[in-house]
Amino acid sequence: MKINLLAENKNFRRLWIGQLISALGDRLTQMGILTFVMVASGDKGDKMALITFFSLLPFLLFGPLFGALVDRYSRKNLMIFADVLRAIFVIFIPVIWAYTHSVIFIVVWFFFLGCLTALFTPAKMSIIANITDKEALLEANSVIVTTGMVATLIGTLIAGALIKITGATPAFYINSLTYLISALFIIKIIYKQPQATIAPADNVYVAFLEDIRTGIRYIFRHQLIISLILLSAIFSLVSSFAYILILNYGSSVLKQGSLGMGALLSSVGFGMLIGSLILLKRKDRINYKRALYLSNLIIGTFLLLFLLKPNLFVTLVILFFAGIGAAILTITLDTIFQRVVPDELKGKIFAARGMLTTSVFLVSLLFVGFLIERVAAINIFGVIALVCIIAGFGIYLDEKRWGYQLLRISLRLIMKILFNFKVSGLENIPKTKRFILAGNHTSLVDGVALACAYPGRIYFLVADTIFKAKFWGWCASRLGYIPIKRGGFNKESIKTAIHILNSGYPIGIFPEGKISPDGNLDIGKEGITLIARLANADIIPFAIEGAYEAWPLPKKFPKRFPIEVRFGLPIDIN
């Protein structure tokens, strides 16, 4: 499979190479510290939870400040600064352990490392949107995660084998070198960061406080952002529990050493690799909500299998499939954030998300450290699995738009009573291929008739003037109407329509562009063909009969007259 983004975008390629190399190095440090603390010291997971807690604490303490820095200063320079300092800090970890064998010193050191990672992360997530086209963001995130998981898979196995042969110390030195190599590749990135819309203040502290307030105000004004942040927090809760429980289960129940623990983590990484490849393959047909609920259900279902006390082989299989779900979930969330958040606020919003998810992660780490001393790990696995499943069903219900279906059923009942409403030709609609529904437009009731006739979710392209009418505007917003302006190219509306088609939903269009004043068919506009070609969609013709007689313009009220919607055979635009 050819990855066009890497071939065509040299700036993204430089970022990708740098992150690939440093991701390989991170696995060495991860396995090295696991060897020091869990294998050599006989830790059951509580000390490792403490180290992880303090390495993530800076996301909570300094997240808003770092987010403001990312939006005000060069994201590239901040990433280079963080990488160079991380290289210095990592190289001293084995020295500290050799001279002290103190977990407390290691905890403090990982706190400083966490500060640099907390600065690097929002800068990286924001700069991806600066060097990548909006339509390529899903591909970009999939490529980053795919190669990152390859690095995890290979790096964890190599680290486990290397540490078994040479001990843990060389692993940290190699990781330090990978950070420096990453910085060298980031130096070569060329991009123009849009200037922040917030005016600079005389007092730098006042300026940063205002930046933080701006980000908070933006979050609370947008329900979608709130929902995505809460979903990220739920995943953070599940992943924090799962991480420590996997380590505990591998060490205490499966009795695995450094190589076996590496295999368990590699199984998750390999699953994430496959999950990101799935998204990469379907990058032009992704339904974001469907990806979100399916990923949660996958994670929850397979974690629930720990209740059966699986052996090593079954555990590897479970973690592999859970990894697939984790990759789909994280990539989808990152892509939605990058697509919907304005550039001048990306750093603050990513930092705010990181702040909440880290808070949840840290509290969960403390809680799981307390629980594993008192409750069997498999029972805790069952609880977090149910959390995932419940979240998945919640997103599923929202994606199916039960409010929409309830409105549709109610309107169909009204149509049946008033107009003896009938539908025919539904068998002509394809079950798999994407399609556009196109037909005549003779009445105010046409859009409602089509929505009532087609049993699934349907979106409409209609003139924006309909939203000015109180009742019809209310119906239009809930029935999925996409406003277009007459006489313009409507580039954004066309992009929205193509994305909806690629997500698996049909589009309803009245090609005449206006309601016929005499009930006769008028000349259609060419936009429908453009959308069909760009989305590789068939056109399903439909005819609404009786609507003109029942409610023509400019009548204010309808009269009782039979209305029927008939669907024809698909038209292949090729």
Side-chain angles (χ1 to χ4, degrees):
M1 178 175 56
K2 182 181 178 182
I3 303 177
N4 294 326
L5 189 62
L6 289 176
E8 298 171 0
N9 189 328
K10 62 182 179 181
N11 287 313
F12 179 77
R13 184 166 63 247
R14 289 162 180 165
L15 176 66
W16 167 74
I17 293 173
Q19 293 309 290
L20 173 62
I21 294 171
S22 63
L24 283 167
D26 286 339
R27 302 288 73 76
L28 295 168
T29 291
Q30 180 187 39
M31 294 306 298
I33 203 66
L34 279 173
T35 302
F36 282 161
V37 177
M38 292 199 74
V39 178
S41 303
D43 175 43
K44 294 183 178 180
D46 52 323
K47 293 185 179 66
M48 198 63 208
L50 189 65
I51 292 172
T52 307
F53 177 92
F54 277 93
S55 67
L56 294 175
L57 186 60
F59 284 87
L60 173 61
L61 298 179
F62 309 120
L65 173 63
F66 291 161
L69 282 171
V70 166
D71 287 335
R72 279 190 173 267
Y73 300 104
S74 168
R75 292 162 182 170
K76 168 184 167 179
N77 291 341
L78 290 173
M79 292 168 68
I80 294 168
F81 171 79
D83 263 347
V84 171
L85 284 186
R86 285 196 291 184
I88 296 171
F89 272 88
V90 165
I91 206 168
F92 281 102
I93 292 175
V95 178
I96 294 171
W97 182 258
Y99 280 94
T100 67
H101 278 273
S102 170
V103 173
I104 299 301
F105 278 108
I106 294 295
V107 165
V108 172
W109 211 250
F110 269 83
F111 173 80
F112 289 119
L113 267 173
C115 290
L116 298 169
T117 304
L119 175 62
F120 186 92
T121 301
K124 181 188 76 171
M125 297 308 299
S126 299
I127 204 173
I128 288 175
N130 293 140
I131 62 177
T132 308
D133 292 336
K134 187 176 181 180
E135 299 305 318
L137 284 172
L138 180 69
E139 182 180 0
N141 288 313
S142 298
V143 168
I144 289 286
V145 172
T146 299
T147 51
M149 288 308 104
V150 170
T152 298
L153 178 64
I154 297 173
T156 306
L157 292 174
I158 292 175
L162 178 67
I163 290 171
K164 189 174 183 66
I165 297 171
T166 66
T169 299
F172 296 98
Y173 298 152
I174 297 172
N175 187 202
S176 176
L177 179 61
T178 63
Y179 281 132
L180 294 177
I181 295 173
S182 172
L184 290 175
F185 276 98
I186 294 172
I187 288 173
K188 297 180 180 180
I189 293 175
I190 301 172
Y191 83 104
K192 183 178 180 181
Q193 179 172 331
Q195 294 183 348
T197 57
I198 303 171
D202 294 332
N203 188 312
V204 66
Y205 300 107
V206 173
F208 281 125
L209 285 175
E210 182 55 32
D211 282 359
I212 294 168
R213 292 192 193 101
T214 300
I216 293 173
R217 286 195 293 266
Y218 178 84
I219 291 171
F220 283 100
R221 283 200 306 266
H222 294 79
Q223 183 59 44
L224 174 61
I225 299 298
I226 294 174
S227 300
L228 292 172
I229 289 177
L230 289 177
L231 186 57
S232 299
I234 292 172
F235 179 65
S236 183
L237 168 74
V238 172
S239 58
S240 62
F241 268 74
Y243 175 63
I244 298 302
L245 289 172
I246 289 169
L247 295 178
N248 175 272
Y249 192 82
S251 177
S252 302
V253 179
L254 299 179
K255 307 298 182 183
Q256 297 298 307
S258 61
L259 194 59
M261 300 287 276
L264 292 175
L265 296 177
S266 293
S267 184
V268 178
F270 188 62
M272 293 188 72
L273 167 64
I274 300 302
S276 55
L277 285 173
I278 291 172
L279 279 184
L280 193 58
K281 179 130 182 111
R282 296 182 56 84
K283 63 179 186 289
D284 296 326
R285 302 185 300 277
I286 186 68
N287 179 320
Y288 289 113
K289 277 195 173 181
R290 191 173 298 164
L292 291 177
Y293 76 69
L294 285 176
S295 59
N296 272 284
L297 292 177
I298 290 170
I299 296 169
T301 300
F302 282 94
L303 289 184
L304 202 61
L305 295 178
F306 273 100
L307 292 175
L308 302 177
K309 298 182 180 179
N311 58 25
L312 178 60
F313 175 76
V314 176
T315 299
L316 291 172
V317 174
I318 290 172
L319 295 180
F320 167 76
F321 282 102
I324 291 177
I328 294 174
L329 180 57
T330 53
I331 293 170
T332 304
L333 283 172
D334 287 344
T335 302
I336 297 174
F337 271 107
Q338 290 165 342
R339 287 177 64 92
V340 303
V341 177
D343 188 77
E344 66 273 11
L345 295 174
K346 278 188 171 66
K348 289 181 278 291
I349 302 305
F350 273 113
R353 183 184 74 158
M355 185 176 178
L356 177 62
T357 55
T358 302
S359 301
V360 172
F361 198 93
L362 294 179
V363 172
S364 301
L365 283 177
L366 293 177
F367 192 45
V368 71
F370 171 82
L371 280 180
I372 56 179
E373 295 292 331
R374 296 163 177 81
V375 182
I378 57 172
N379 295 331
I380 307 175
F381 269 122
V383 173
I384 63 171
L386 289 177
V387 170
C388 265
I389 292 172
I390 292 171
F393 274 114
I395 302 167
Y396 172 80
L397 292 176
D398 183 66
E399 195 269 342
K400 290 301 180 183
R401 302 278 185 151
W402 292 106
Y404 167 84
Q405 293 294 348
L406 183 61
L407 176 62
R408 176 184 168 275
I409 292 171
S410 301
L411 290 173
R412 177 155 182 155
L413 179 61
I414 294 171
M415 293 284 289
K416 185 69 176 176
I417 294 171
L418 290 180
F419 308 115
N420 191 26
F421 184 67
K422 295 180 180 179
V423 181
S424 61
L426 284 174
E427 67 277 5
N428 294 325
I429 297 178
K431 302 298 183 184
T432 55
K433 196 174 189 304
R434 64 195 78 172
F435 58 89
I436 297 171
L437 297 168
N440 60 324
H441 198 13
T442 62
S443 169
L444 286 169
V445 79
D446 288 339
V448 174
L450 182 58
C452 293
Y454 180 70
R457 186 73 165 94
I458 182 174
Y459 292 82
F460 294 88
L461 280 173
V462 297
D464 58 354
T465 53
I466 195 172
F467 289 88
K468 297 177 182 178
K470 290 184 179 179
F471 174 73
W472 293 115
W474 181 82
C475 287
S477 62
R478 281 151 183 80
L479 289 173
Y481 284 29
I482 303 166
I484 56 175
K485 294 181 180 180
R486 286 195 175 98
F489 180 55
N490 289 291
K491 180 179 178 181
E492 289 303 317
S493 297
I494 291 174
K495 279 187 175 181
T496 301
I498 294 169
H499 174 69
I500 289 171
L501 287 166
N502 289 337
S503 298
Y505 296 106
I507 292 289
I509 298 179
F510 300 103
E512 297 163 275
K514 60 182 179 180
I515 297 177
S516 172
D518 56 9
N520 295 320
L521 197 65
D522 201 353
I523 297 175
K525 303 295 188 295
E526 296 178 354
I528 181 175
T529 309
L530 174 64
I531 295 172
R533 285 190 177 277
L534 291 174
N536 189 27
D538 283 347
I539 296 175
I540 307 294
F542 65 83
I544 303 178
E545 297 183 350
Y548 176 75
E549 290 79 6
W551 202 344
L553 282 178
K555 299 292 185 181
K556 291 184 178 180
F557 300 101
K559 69 176 181 179
R560 183 171 176 79
F561 194 92
I563 295 178
E564 181 178 358
V565 178
R566 294 189 295 142
F567 295 99
L569 293 170
I571 300 171
D572 185 348
I573 52 93
N574 293 319

